[in-house]
Amino acid sequence: MLYVIAVNARGASKVSMIWRDDSDGSLVRIGEHPTCDLRLSGAGIATCDLWCEADGWRARRPDASVAKPSDGESFLVGPWTVVLLLGSGEEAPAMGEVGRSTWASPVQDPNGGCGGPGFEIDGRRLADAGHGLPVLLGGGEGCAVRIPWTREAFAAIVRRRRGETRCYPLAGTSLTRNGRSIDCPETLADGDFLSLADAPAIRFVDPDEEIDRLLGILRGESASRPSNEASRPGRRREPPRL
C-alpha cells in the first residue's frame, strides 16, 4: 500500500491524501493539471509521478530523479510538502482519497475509542491513534489528533500499523518526544510525551503495551523471588537437657 499525503501550511492550511494498493501498473500523478490523480493548487510545473512495478514503487520527484521511495520520505511540490508512507493497509480499501473536510474522521476504533491506543492530555482522552488510515497531529483543521493552543497547523502524521504506532514528523515542526527533537519516523511507546514549543505536552497510551510491561515485571519478580523454604528463618535447636 502507498499513501501519498500532501500538506500546505502556508496561508490557508490544506491537506489531502490519496492511496493505492501495490498492484503492478498502478500510477499516481501529482500536480496542478486537471488530469492528475492528486491535484495540488499552486504546484505549477513542479509535478511528480509514482508507479508500481513488480518489485515495488518508483517515484519521479520534481527534480526529475527516479528512485524507490522509503517509508516516511518527503519532498516539496510547489508550496506543498508531500509525504510517502509505505506498507500494508489492513483496514483501508484498495484505493481512495480524503481531503480536509473528511480527514479528521478516521476509521473508528474497534474498542469504542476508550480502550485502544491513543493520546491523552492531563489525563483526559484527546484522540485515538487511528486505525487503518493515517491521521494528522497538530492544531489545524483536519487534525484528528488536535493539540489545543498551538499555532502549528500540521506537526506530524500518525499511523497505526501491525500493533505499532508510528509518528512521522513534518519538516519545520518543533515536535519533541520526551523532550528530544525528532526529525525522522519513530515508533511510539506507551507513556511517551509529545509536545510542541507553544502547547502543552500530550501523552501516548497503549493499554496492551502497558499490560505486557506489567506482566513482564511480575514475571521478573516471581523469577527472582526466593522460595518460601529458602526465605524462612532456620529454627534454633535447643541444647539437650542433662
Side-chain angles (χ1 to χ4, degrees):
M1 185 72 72
L2 169 73
Y3 296 92
V4 185
I5 302 164
V7 295
N8 183 354
R10 304 180 191 178
S13 299
K14 298 179 182 179
V15 61
S16 187
M17 175 174 68
I18 192 170
W19 65 93
R20 299 288 187 269
D21 66 2
D22 300 333
S23 299
D24 190 11
S26 293
L27 173 67
V28 177
R29 299 197 64 196
I30 303 171
E32 193 172 15
H33 195 273
T35 60
C36 290
D37 301 283
L38 182 60
R39 294 184 61 185
L40 303 178
S41 176
I45 61 173
T47 59
C48 63
D49 302 315
L50 300 119
W51 63 94
C52 187
E53 298 180 348
D55 61 343
W57 287 89
R58 297 287 192 281
R60 181 181 65 82
R61 299 170 181 81
D63 62 1
S65 62
V66 177
K68 283 189 174 183
S70 58
D71 184 46
E73 177 183 344
S74 65
F75 48 83
L76 294 177
V77 179
W80 297 80
T81 298
V82 174
V83 183
L84 306 179
L85 304 187
L86 303 173
S88 61
E90 294 89 344
E91 299 182 30
M95 58 185 298
E97 58 185 292
V98 294
R100 181 173 57 174
S101 60
T102 55
W103 186 283
S105 300
V107 176
Q108 292 299 312
D109 185 346
N111 295 300
C114 58
F119 297 89
E120 296 180 349
I121 184 169
D122 296 329
R124 174 179 57 86
R125 186 78 170 191
L126 180 67
D128 296 337
H131 294 266
L133 293 177
V135 296
L136 280 167
L137 181 149
E141 182 182 351
C143 290
V145 186
R146 194 161 189 175
I147 300 177
W149 303 302
T150 181
R151 290 174 291 180
E152 292 190 34
F154 309 122
I157 299 164
V158 176
R159 184 188 184 198
R160 184 74 182 169
R161 173 174 172 253
R162 293 183 177 176
E164 294 184 341
T165 300
R166 294 277 282 171
C167 179
Y168 301 83
L170 297 174
T173 183
S174 64
L175 186 68
T176 62
R177 176 188 180 193
N178 300 327
R180 173 181 55 82
S181 297
I182 56 175
D183 54 10
C184 61
E186 296 188 7
T187 300
L188 299 179
D190 178 64
D192 279 348
F193 283 92
L194 300 178
S195 61
L196 298 172
D198 60 352
I202 64 174
R203 183 173 182 263
F204 173 70
V205 292
D206 187 336
D208 290 339
E209 186 178 329
E210 181 182 18
I211 291 172
D212 290 343
R213 184 175 65 251
L214 292 175
L215 289 175
I217 293 174
L218 291 174
R219 293 190 191 101
E221 288 180 350
S222 61
S224 61
R225 185 180 299 143
S227 66
N228 291 336
E229 292 297 327
S231 60
R232 182 181 300 166
R235 179 178 297 176
R236 182 182 175 186
R237 298 183 63 183
E238 296 290 341
R241 293 181 180 181
L242 299 176

